[in-house]
Amino acid sequence: MKKSILFFFLCISFLGISQTQNPTQNSSAVSFQKAEFPGGDNAYRNELFKMIHGYIDMSKYAVNGVFVFSFDIDVDGRTKKLSVSPKVKNSEMFIEDMLFCMKRIKTKWKPATENGIAVKTNYKIKINFISDHFDHD
């Protein structure tokens, strides 16, 4: 009986030891900083609208309302792979024109960082378009 009780306490003590965690494992938390445009989202919208008004004939598109621009920001702070929703008439041309305008912006993004290292990330921004042109098709 004494042997079985001793065996029981030894098993419990080994289980307790095996479930303790190494304190160095918990201290290695991942720090993530999301991408930023100098001046914030509003500064980016203003720059994008300057380029749109300077280079694009918006009468080709029926864009009214809020659109979500989703794009990648690479480790160098450049924008790539734009997608826009909701879709509009001539969506492919609209996306190409918007990507052209985005590339015309000379100010680079501050890329996202993970543990102090720049990483590629996806960024979404809402932009409200108001135009005089309506799609009546």
Side-chain angles (χ1 to χ4, degrees):
M1 180 73 169
K2 289 181 183 180
K3 288 183 182 180
S4 62
I5 292 174
L6 181 61
F7 179 75
F8 176 74
F9 283 115
L10 283 175
C11 288
I12 290 175
S13 65
F14 284 124
L15 287 175
I17 292 171
S18 68
Q19 292 181 3
T20 59
Q21 295 179 350
N22 187 350
T24 59
Q25 289 175 342
N26 289 337
S27 66
S28 63
V30 175
S31 68
F32 183 79
Q33 182 76 28
K34 69 181 221 172
E36 296 178 346
F37 189 79
D41 286 352
N42 285 333
Y44 183 73
R45 283 185 194 97
N46 292 336
E47 287 294 317
L48 184 60
F49 277 120
K50 283 182 195 175
M51 296 303 153
I52 290 170
H53 292 306
Y55 293 102
I56 306 299
D57 178 14
M58 289 301 288
S59 66
K60 295 188 291 185
Y61 309 109
V63 289
N64 281 304
V66 177
F67 287 78
V68 177
F69 283 50
S70 177
F71 51 92
D72 290 339
I73 300 170
D74 67 10
V75 295
D76 297 323
R78 290 180 286 213
T79 56
K80 307 208 180 207
K81 295 184 182 179
L82 172 68
S83 68
V84 179
S85 63
K87 300 296 182 199
V88 295
K89 186 176 182 179
N90 299 326
S91 279
E92 295 80 26
M93 286 178 40
F94 178 67
I95 292 172
E96 285 178 25
D97 285 348
M98 293 302 111
L99 188 57
F100 173 79
C101 289
M102 289 170 72
K103 288 184 179 184
R104 299 294 300 173
I105 298 173
K106 299 299 179 201
T107 306
K108 289 186 179 183
W109 285 77
K110 179 183 172 198
T113 58
E114 187 173 335
N115 292 330
I117 300 170
V119 294
K120 177 181 156 185
T121 188
N122 186 270
Y123 197 87
K124 292 183 182 184
I125 188 168
K126 292 181 180 181
I127 299 180
N128 189 13
F129 283 96
I130 301 171
S131 70
D132 297 333
H133 178 73
F134 295 96
D135 184 18
H136 294 292
D137 291 344

